[in-house]
Amino acid sequence: MSYASKYTPKPITDVFTSDTDIDRRQSMRAAMKQLGYVDTYHMMNCSIENPPDALLWMDALRAKYDGVGEPFTRGDWDRLLGGSQAVCDWPACAFAKELVAAYPEAKVVLTGRDVDAWHASTLRTVYWRATDPALRALARCSWAAGMYYPMLRKFFDTFFEGDFPNRGKEVFARHYEEVRSLVPKERLLDDYRVTDGWEPLCKFLGDPVPKDCPFPNVNDNRDFVTRSKRRNRRQMYNVALQLAVQILEIFVLIGIAFYLVFYVQWNLFQ
């Protein structure tokens, strides 16, 4: 059974988070949006914006790494990414080969990062999130976390071979070489760094350089843990509200049952 088939509608009690419920069965992203690539798919899409996307990503990961289900075709990718003009970050990076094959006309920007700085940053942010015991517990009862967390774990267990602290840098280097081998040079902007600004990016994409507009710098992860814990609390509030509603429904049903019993007995002995 595919993970996408496990989709359930968003509970009406999920009012403390702003997740959307679309059943499709950061700096770089902001820059692409500013250039007119309005929907640039990013990890935020399936982590906090539209959690049902995580089900499709889970199906894609299982098909690629476990041989469960059919590998994604252009049609499958269109279903997941078809509303976007660009895609960046994870979990898409695990499918560089598949996406290049599905969209051979696409241009590819390979952003340059110092591997040690990237590894240290990821350890204290996304990898921390993948090992967060609070999120793991929430996945058992929260509508959003129940879709997102299993996919997040699956991503680290497969793409980073189950050992990000020790194998992350090696996988990073191998991934960059794979992308360079897959994409023709005329369609690849290699080692682009956000500190390079608009000029090389716009020249490569064929877009005009935005005037009087500094390159966005929104990929600040200093408060990542704080934001994640805040989201955990809000998801806990959703779960608590849903539980309260369910308890209320039980009491209402019990009240109705008592009323019916009393009503029948009253009429029998009149």
Side-chain angles (χ1 to χ4, degrees):
M1 180 176 68
S2 70
Y3 259 74
S5 66
K6 297 183 179 181
Y7 165 80
T8 58
K10 179 181 177 180
I12 60 173
T13 50
D14 275 25
V15 297
F16 295 100
T17 51
S18 57
D19 310 313
T20 59
D21 181 13
I22 302 172
D23 179 13
R24 306 189 210 268
R25 293 183 282 200
Q26 292 293 359
S27 287
M28 195 63 190
R29 186 193 195 196
M32 296 299 286
K33 283 189 172 186
Q34 207 156 309
L35 291 177
Y37 301 87
V38 179
D39 191 349
T40 298
Y41 201 97
H42 183 270
M43 71 171 181
M44 302 288 282
N45 285 71
C46 66
S47 61
I48 65 173
E49 292 177 7
N50 192 59
D53 282 3
L55 300 176
L56 292 175
W57 285 111
M58 187 66 152
D59 281 337
L61 288 166
R62 294 173 78 218
K64 176 171 182 173
Y65 292 102
D66 300 338
V68 177
E70 294 296 323
F72 268 35
T73 64
R74 170 71 180 254
D76 296 314
W77 291 119
D78 281 348
R79 185 159 60 113
L80 179 56
L81 305 172
S84 306
Q85 293 81 48
V87 60
C88 62
D89 213 81
W90 73 273
C93 63
F95 300 96
K97 182 177 181 179
E98 291 79 5
L99 289 171
V100 168
Y103 302 99
E105 70 283 2
K107 292 183 177 181
V108 177
V109 179
L110 193 59
T111 54
R113 292 287 303 274
D114 174 78
V115 66
D116 294 319
W118 164 82
H119 189 257
S121 174
T122 305
L123 274 173
R124 65 177 180 265
T125 54
V126 186
Y127 181 72
W128 168 85
R129 190 66 168 148
T131 56
D132 178 12
L135 182 62
R136 182 169 64 248
L138 273 168
R140 299 182 179 183
C141 52
S142 165
W143 176 78
M147 292 182 282
Y148 168 63
Y149 177 74
M151 186 277 295
L152 175 62
R153 285 296 317 177
K154 187 71 172 178
F155 172 78
F156 274 93
D157 287 344
T158 54
F159 185 67
F160 288 113
E161 300 170 359
D163 188 6
F164 178 79
N166 294 307
R167 301 189 62 81
K169 294 180 184 180
E170 177 188 339
V171 173
F172 176 99
R174 196 164 65 230
H175 171 72
Y176 270 62
E177 290 307 312
E178 179 186 38
V179 173
R180 292 185 178 109
S181 70
L182 290 171
V183 184
K185 289 186 178 180
E186 65 273 14
R187 287 197 291 106
L188 177 66
L189 178 59
D190 195 1
D191 199 31
Y192 171 75
R193 297 173 184 264
V194 295
T195 53
D196 295 338
W198 289 116
E199 292 283 349
L201 179 63
C202 292
K203 181 179 179 181
F204 175 69
L205 296 175
D207 292 316
V209 176
K211 295 182 179 179
D212 302 318
C213 184
F215 196 92
N217 179 26
V218 299
N219 194 26
D220 187 346
N221 290 320
R222 286 176 294 182
D223 66 341
F224 181 93
V225 173
T226 300
R227 287 185 285 112
S228 296
K229 289 182 177 180
R230 182 168 61 242
R231 178 167 174 82
N232 283 353
R233 287 195 301 272
R234 290 174 176 173
Q235 290 182 108
M236 289 175 188
Y237 298 156
N238 286 337
V239 172
L241 180 58
Q242 185 177 23
L243 180 60
V245 169
Q246 290 171 345
I247 292 173
L248 179 61
E249 289 174 346
I250 291 172
F251 276 106
V252 169
L253 290 174
I254 292 173
I256 292 172
F258 272 109
Y259 171 79
L260 290 174
V261 170
F262 177 79
Y263 179 81
V264 170
Q265 288 180 341
W266 176 267
N267 282 278
L268 284 175
F269 292 103
Q270 290 300 314

